Amino acid sequence: MESPQKKAASMDGSKTPHLPPVTVAKKTPRPDVVREVNEWVLVTAGIFVFSFGLAYALVLFHVPCSQEAVMNALGIGMLCCVALQAAAAVLALRLQCRRRWVRRALPYLALALTSGGHCFYAALARLFLVADPGDLFFRICSTVGIFVYAAGDIISFLALLLSREE
């Protein structure tokens, strides 16, 4: 009696038995770090624009006139960073370029502008806290915001540094 493998080998004329097909383990796709970093940049840009609009609409902060020029300068600097970081993030998401350094430079630029905007936010929060030291709710919210922004920036920079593009 012949085994099924010998029978299959004798049918096609070869001496080697048929082996089952080899299955190769598929690589799990790595998360697109550049996309995630740019999403973080765009989310913080949206939050800044929303919070600025809300602050001006509600006129919550009555800053003394001596500090009003500083507040306006910090606000304009922060809004400039927001516009530039959003532009860099959109370019990084939409630009299809073959050169690796271009694909990596735009997320770094967007994240650097985001960090600069967060520094402007921290300076504005400090200015508002000096103007109204008794506002406990704003003190808590701004402190939590500063730590969340700093942690998000650090995690995003580390993700970009440690990621390898395939």
Side-chain angles (χ1 to χ4, degrees):
M1 197 104 203
E2 288 186 26
S3 70
Q5 290 176 344
K6 285 185 180 180
K7 191 183 261 187
S10 63
M11 286 183 173
D12 65 354
S14 66
K15 302 257 179 190
T16 59
H18 285 226
L19 298 175
V22 178
T23 58
V24 178
K26 293 182 181 180
K27 284 186 175 179
T28 57
R30 298 169 84 185
D32 189 8
V33 174
V34 171
R35 177 173 294 282
E36 291 173 359
V37 167
N38 287 317
E39 288 171 357
W40 165 253
V41 168
L42 289 173
V43 164
T44 59
I47 290 171
F48 278 170
V49 170
F50 175 75
S51 65
F52 249 59
L54 187 65
Y56 280 120
L58 297 177
V59 191
L60 291 176
F61 305 107
H62 301 288
V63 181
C65 291
S66 63
Q67 295 177 347
E68 191 171 348
V70 175
M71 182 190 73
N72 287 336
L74 288 173
I76 289 171
M78 190 169 121
L79 286 177
C80 289
C81 279
V82 166
L84 292 173
Q85 82 189 38
V90 168
L91 274 176
L93 288 173
R94 303 301 295 167
L95 187 66
Q96 299 296 327
C97 186
R98 293 182 188 179
R99 293 202 171 113
R100 182 177 182 263
W101 71 271
V102 174
R103 286 191 312 262
R104 300 293 283 184
L106 284 172
Y108 280 113
L109 174 64
L111 201 51
L113 289 166
T114 303
S115 297
H118 293 162
C119 290
F120 280 120
Y121 169 78
L124 273 171
R126 182 190 164 280
L127 185 69
F128 290 140
L129 289 174
V130 168
D132 188 12
D135 192 359
L136 186 61
F137 179 73
F138 181 73
R139 182 177 298 274
I140 292 170
C141 288
S142 63
T143 305
V144 168
I146 290 169
F147 281 111
V148 167
Y149 288 147
D153 291 346
I154 291 170
I155 290 170
S156 297
F157 270 124
L158 287 175
L160 277 177
L161 287 173
L162 297 177
S163 72
R164 292 184 193 162
E165 194 170 326
E166 295 176 4

